[in-house]
Amino acid sequence: MSRNPLIREVPPTSWYFRHPRYLRYMSREITSIFIGAYCVLLVVGLQRLSAGPAAWEGFLAALKSPASVVFQFLCLVAAVYHAATWFNATQKAMPIQIGEDFVPGNLISGAHYAAWAVLSVVVLFVAGVF
Amino acid sequence: MKERLVQLEVLRYNPDTDTEAHFQRYEVMCQEEWVVLDALNKIKADIDPTLNYRWSCHMAVCGSCGMMINGEPKLSCHAFLRAYEGVIRVEPLAHFPVERDLVTAPDDFMEKLKRVKPYIIPKEKKPISEGEYKQTPAQLMKFRQYSMCINCMLCYAACPEYGLTPDFIGPAALTLAHRYNQDSRDGGRKERQEVVATHEGVWECTFVGACSEVCPAHVDPASALQQMKITSSIDWIVEHLIPGGKS
Ligand code: SF4
Ligand code: FES
């Protein structure tokens, strides 16, 4: 019997519409664009700071424009979503075995959320919010 | 016993005569508690003996009956008809060459399995007279989950990375490498790293996580791959950033 296998190609630009799980994956990956863009904003801010007080004041004023506020809000949402997917993943990537049993996954992810909350409070405190 | 008329749309491909695949519709009377594989067996017995597909155990153990059922990789002996409404679409496992109808060619997976050396490479060989290599229950639990794989390849059919980059060693084979790396009797990790810690190895994985969602044996390949990424990164740090460090 002859072999003549048929190759069914994967559509390179539309495969993620095949199942909601692939869309979830893509949305997690797309958050990186916002995080990258926010990093650029921070670098621009540093550059403005080094250029003197007037430049810095101008930068701060620009940050308060409506478009900038919307952008920062989107970045925050993206960063929180991205962080949450990674905290949820920690229980898979870093299982802890004690004797024959494994520490429940939720405890590992939960510890990351707790550390996140504590660090956020510390950052806000250092930034003088409280 | 309750019966119902089930409609299946099955992908057909005959390598001797076809250049493309096409769907064929079958209507078959099935019992309520049947699985998709039962419906296919009834079709083959009563309607169309030319239909080709693989199966053996009918109990989710042998791993040979994997198919795409309504676009989802499933063991057809484990896919209950009552879970589906309307026409059920049955296709061969995605990302593998179609040999004939629902039969795919697993050659690529088999070759990749071999490459990860999925067997114990003892730390120190000892003569049989010294007895067996012992293991505590805790040492067993460290890898037990990863030893449950039935080689059904559903994870490969679910993994878009494998579909787009066929060089990817893929979820099940890499997970098996992890299973042996985690075994207290094994000393072969360094040899396996040559395949595991590469672009075609764990670094091709972008953690879609689909493998773990479809795995019928609850192996959780995604967890194994993420753990291997961490240990491979630690190797790199030790080797490159710590003076005198060796992996
Ligand atoms: S890891 Fe799961 S889905 Fe993949 S081949 Fe093994 S049993 Fe099948
Ligand atoms: S027939 Fe063996 S796993 Fe389905």
Side-chain angles (χ1 to χ4, degrees):
Chain A
M1 211 189 318
S2 65
R3 274 184 89 170
N4 179 23
L6 175 80
I7 312 288
R8 300 178 83 204
E9 298 287 344
V10 179
T13 50
S14 59
W15 57 267
Y16 40 84
F17 290 113
R18 285 182 169 181
H19 196 283
R21 71 165 72 92
Y22 302 132
L23 282 173
R24 274 202 303 279
Y25 160 74
M26 285 308 259
S27 59
R28 183 192 81 203
E29 299 297 286
I30 282 168
T31 55
S32 320
I33 295 173
F34 288 93
I35 290 161
Y38 193 75
C39 289
V40 172
L41 183 74
L42 290 181
V43 172
V44 171
L46 274 179
Q47 193 272 336
R48 295 282 80 196
L49 187 60
S50 68
W56 175 244
E57 288 303 325
F59 177 70
L60 288 185
L63 282 187
K64 294 196 182 104
S65 76
S68 166
V69 170
V70 169
F71 169 72
Q72 290 173 74
F73 179 72
L74 288 177
C75 289
L76 180 66
V77 171
V80 168
Y81 180 65
H82 197 102
T85 59
W86 281 104
F87 289 151
N88 295 343
T90 52
Q91 50 183 285
K92 288 185 176 248
M94 296 184 276
I96 300 171
Q97 189 182 3
I98 299 177
E100 286 173 40
D101 299 314
F102 283 87
V103 173
N106 289 343
L107 220 64
I108 296 173
S109 294
H112 282 83
Y113 280 103
W116 183 26
V118 169
L119 282 175
S120 299
V121 170
V122 170
V123 168
L124 291 174
F125 181 77
V126 172
V129 173
F130 305 120
Chain B
M1 220 167 283
K2 246 174 102 183
E3 294 202 325
R4 72 166 169 143
L5 191 67
V6 173
Q7 288 191 318
L8 291 129
E9 206 167 52
V10 183
L11 195 93
R12 302 296 312 266
Y13 170 68
N14 182 342
D16 299 323
T17 54
D18 299 346
T19 49
E20 268 175 63
H22 64 277
F23 282 99
Q24 185 165 348
R25 181 84 65 104
Y26 297 103
E27 270 189 8
V28 59
M29 203 43 111
C30 295
Q31 286 173 22
E32 189 63 26
E33 72 279 7
W34 276 9
V35 291
V36 170
L37 179 60
D38 296 320
L40 292 174
N41 283 342
K42 182 95 188 283
I43 292 170
K44 192 168 173 83
D46 295 351
I47 304 173
D48 185 352
T50 69
L51 184 63
N52 283 273
Y53 49 96
R54 283 201 188 96
W55 71 285
S56 176
C57 70
H58 198 293
M59 51 198 277
V61 170
C62 75
S64 56
C65 71
M67 297 168 194
M68 306 301 284
I69 300 179
N70 282 353
E72 181 79 347
K74 288 262 182 206
L75 296 178
S76 56
C77 70
H78 209 222
F80 285 90
L81 291 170
R82 58 172 174 263
Y84 300 93
E85 278 171 29
V87 182
I88 304 171
R89 186 170 261 234
V90 187
E91 295 166 84
L93 271 189
H95 307 156
F96 289 97
V98 182
E99 205 77 77
R100 182 184 288 264
D101 297 341
L102 301 171
V103 176
T104 52
D107 309 37
D108 183 55
F109 172 61
M110 295 301 169
E111 185 267 331
K112 281 168 176 163
L113 265 186
K114 266 193 256 163
R115 280 175 66 192
V116 301
K117 307 196 176 181
Y119 39 81
I120 288 183
I121 301 170
K123 284 193 196 99
E124 281 166 44
K125 282 228 161 76
K126 58 180 192 180
I128 293 177
S129 57
E130 279 181 36
E132 57 279 82
Y133 295 91
K134 292 208 169 124
Q135 193 160 57
T136 66
Q139 286 171 329
L140 168 69
M141 288 312 286
K142 199 166 176 210
F143 66 82
R144 204 184 91 98
Q145 171 189 7
Y146 302 124
S147 68
M148 296 305 199
C149 175
I150 59 172
N151 292 352
C152 66
M153 307 184 292
L154 298 195
C155 50
Y156 284 74
C159 176
E161 292 298 338
Y162 180 64
L164 296 165
T165 315
D167 284 342
F168 181 31
I169 304 288
L174 287 167
T175 301
L176 216 50
H178 189 56
R179 174 252 175 274
Y180 285 97
N181 288 346
Q182 297 282 85
D183 192 314
S184 57
R185 301 162 295 182
D186 183 86
R189 179 169 178 270
K190 214 170 164 191
E191 286 177 43
R192 291 187 201 102
Q193 281 301 87
E194 286 166 25
V195 178
V196 167
T198 61
H199 282 300
E200 294 141 43
V202 289
W203 299 113
E204 186 60 49
C205 167
T206 56
F207 198 2
V208 181
C211 50
S212 297
E213 286 180 36
V214 303
C215 175
H218 307 290
V219 172
D220 199 355
S223 72
L225 269 71
Q226 305 330 303
Q227 287 165 36
M228 283 195 283
K229 284 182 196 171
I230 294 178
T231 51
S232 302
S233 303
I234 293 172
D235 285 352
W236 189 90
I237 291 169
V238 169
E239 197 175 339
H240 292 91
L241 303 181
I242 297 182
K246 285 200 242 28
S247 73

